Amino acid sequence: MPNKRKEQPESTDIDSAELAKRIGTRIKIARIKAGLKQKDLAEKVGLHRMSISAIESGRRGTSMAQLVEFSRVLGVPVSYFFTGAENETGETDEYTAELEKLLAILMERDAEAVANLRSVMESWDKLSPADKRFIINTISYALKSVRERMEE
């Protein structure tokens, strides 16, 4: 009798470490947009501040129950943590995705600067594509300047 081995489908999904990092970044962005510090979010969801830090950096994953709680506290749909879309349609435009990447880089370097961008992010959906591109270009230039200064 031939050995019938089930072939594993080729995975096109991202690995769990990459997913944890992506979800963590989105939790961090939503927290900043909500005007909360890690300590505040930790208290509201019943976790330690260090756990929030580990989740936001992608060093620790999170459960679905925790994502539901983050969703409730941060005022975003659970799907946001997977798609980056803050509305129920699940759509995210290229500018929002690019802003998310830039903010993730910037957050690693200067949390205060990101906190100052909170007002821009609160009205992001109301901006024209030209305004979104201008903001992205400005942040990109700032990051380039920071990198150059770090290399000196």
Side-chain angles (χ1 to χ4, degrees):
M1 178 178 237
N3 186 5
K4 289 189 177 184
R5 212 170 107 190
K6 214 178 204 181
E7 283 191 36
Q8 294 294 326
E10 199 172 302
S11 177
T12 58
D13 298 337
I14 58 174
D15 67 23
S16 60
E18 178 61 31
L19 182 61
K21 190 168 188 160
R22 187 177 296 172
I23 289 171
T25 296
R26 290 182 177 144
I27 289 171
K28 189 170 195 173
I29 289 170
R31 174 182 59 77
I32 290 167
K33 286 174 71 173
L36 298 173
K37 295 182 179 189
Q38 285 182 343
K39 180 180 128 239
D40 302 327
L41 179 58
E43 289 172 5
K44 291 179 183 285
V45 298
L47 294 172
H48 191 277
R49 189 196 68 77
M50 294 303 292
S51 294
I52 299 295
S53 176
I55 289 168
E56 287 183 352
S57 67
R59 294 187 319 267
R60 173 182 164 188
T62 184
S63 69
M64 272 311 287
Q66 288 171 334
L67 286 177
V68 169
E69 190 63 11
F70 283 126
S71 171
R72 183 189 67 75
V73 169
L74 297 171
V76 296
V78 172
S79 61
Y80 165 76
F81 302 120
F82 299 98
T83 66
E86 294 186 33
N87 57 45
E88 291 299 327
T89 65
E91 296 174 5
T92 184
D93 62 37
E94 65 183 279
Y95 300 113
T96 302
E98 193 168 344
L99 177 67
E100 186 177 289
K101 283 191 270 184
L102 291 170
L103 288 177
I105 295 166
L106 188 58
M107 281 189 291
E108 292 176 4
R109 292 183 167 75
D110 192 347
E112 184 178 340
V114 174
N116 291 334
L117 290 170
R118 183 176 45 231
S119 63
V120 171
M121 292 183 69
E122 287 170 356
S123 59
W124 182 255
D125 293 334
K126 298 172 191 157
L127 298 174
S128 71
D131 289 338
K132 289 178 179 181
R133 173 54 46 206
F134 174 78
I135 290 169
I136 288 169
N137 288 342
T138 302
I139 294 170
S140 295
Y141 177 78
L143 286 172
K144 181 181 174 189
S145 298
V146 167
R147 286 184 187 129
E148 288 172 356
R149 278 186 269 143
M150 290 175 62
E151 291 173 1
E152 292 177 353

